[in-house]
Each structure stands twice: as structure tokens, then as C-alpha cells.
Amino acid sequence: MVEQTPDMSAPIQAASALTASLTEAVHKNRLLIEQMAQFTRNEALRFFQRRMEQDTAAMSKLQDAHGIGAIIGVQQEWLRGLFQDYAGQNMRIAGLVHDLTQDAFDRCGEVAGMGLDSVRQAANGMAGEMQAAGDMPAEMADNPQQYAETQH
């Protein structure tokens, strides 16, 4: 009896598809990191410029302030502006992180789905080839995933 060897093109194709998916995911993650770095840089510059303008205005008001009440009023105004700026900055960053995380999660789901489909197709192809060669029970060839689950 001549023994047939299963065609190895299905696992190679599955590995190739998985490699392509992972390469695409790495590329998209690099782009995501670049976007985050650009946003962070722009937001930091905007924040510090705004704070510099407000600090300069507060110093100008302090020079014109007469009496302890006026000085305390300028200080309170400056603190209120500071807290509002920090809160606003934190909200913008939280919104960005949420949006980027959601986008990355969606992309990961797409990439994982593409990779799993390729692996399933390769497994089904290999199962058919192995059954044809007589190396596998028929119930495993019909549904390899269900067969694997019943074996555990």
C-alpha cells in the first residue's frame, strides 16, 4: 500500500495569512502610537501656551492690585483658571484615549477574525486530506473543531 503524504500548502497558507494579519496589526499599532504622540505633543503645547498667557495676565493684575483683598482675588482667579485648564485637559486626553482604545479594539477584532478564519479553513483542508490518506477518523474530518472539543 502506497502511503500518501498530506498536502502541506494549507498550513503554509494559514501561517502566511496569520503572518500578514499580524504584520498589518503591527503597522496599524505603529500608526496609532504616532497619532497618540502627535496629539500629546500638540495638546501639551496648547496647554502650556494657554497657561503662560493666563500666568502673564495674572502677574499683570498683581502689579495693579492694591491691598490684600485684591491680591487674594487675583490669586483665586488664577487658581480657578488653573483647575479649569487641568480639568479640561484631562477630559480631552480621556476622550482621546477612549476613542483610540475603541478604534484599536475594533481593529484587533477584525485582525483576529481574519486570522481565525484562515486557520479554520486550513484545519478543515488538512482534515479532509488526512481522511483521504486514511490517517484520521471520519467524525474528525467532518467537524474537526467539535471533535477536538469532545476529546478534552
Side-chain angles (χ1 to χ4, degrees):
M1 181 163 132
V2 176
E3 190 176 313
Q4 294 180 338
T5 59
D7 182 22
M8 296 304 289
S9 64
I12 292 171
Q13 289 173 350
S16 178
L18 186 59
T19 300
S21 296
L22 291 175
T23 302
E24 182 180 344
V26 167
H27 177 69
K28 287 182 178 182
N29 285 339
R30 184 182 61 81
L31 293 175
L32 179 69
I33 290 170
E34 287 175 0
Q35 288 175 346
M36 289 177 66
Q38 181 69 29
F39 175 82
T40 303
R41 182 178 28 251
N42 291 341
E43 282 297 308
L45 287 173
R46 191 183 71 71
F47 177 79
F48 288 124
Q49 184 174 0
R50 179 171 165 82
R51 288 306 318 150
M52 184 70 85
E53 291 169 0
Q54 290 186 358
D55 292 349
T56 303
M59 292 300 286
S60 186
K61 287 179 183 179
L62 276 177
Q63 289 176 350
D64 297 336
H66 298 288
I68 195 80
I71 292 173
I72 291 174
V74 170
Q75 182 186 27
Q76 287 177 343
E77 184 180 330
W78 179 80
L79 284 171
R80 184 173 3 108
L82 178 70
F83 291 137
Q84 286 175 345
D85 285 346
Y86 275 113
Q89 184 74 9
N90 286 336
M91 293 301 293
R92 279 189 293 282
I93 290 174
L96 168 78
V97 169
H98 177 267
D99 293 345
L100 291 176
T101 302
Q102 187 65 42
D103 187 42
F105 183 74
D106 293 343
R107 287 180 188 174
C108 287
E110 291 171 7
V111 170
M114 291 185 319
L116 287 175
D117 289 342
S118 299
V119 170
R120 282 188 186 121
Q121 289 174 355
N124 288 334
M126 286 175 46
E129 292 168 4
M130 291 177 74
Q131 184 185 24
D135 294 341
M136 177 188 299
E139 61 271 8
M140 184 177 176
D142 293 337
N143 192 345
Q145 184 176 0
Q146 183 180 9
Y147 183 81
E149 290 171 0
T150 61
Q151 298 303 308
H152 293 296

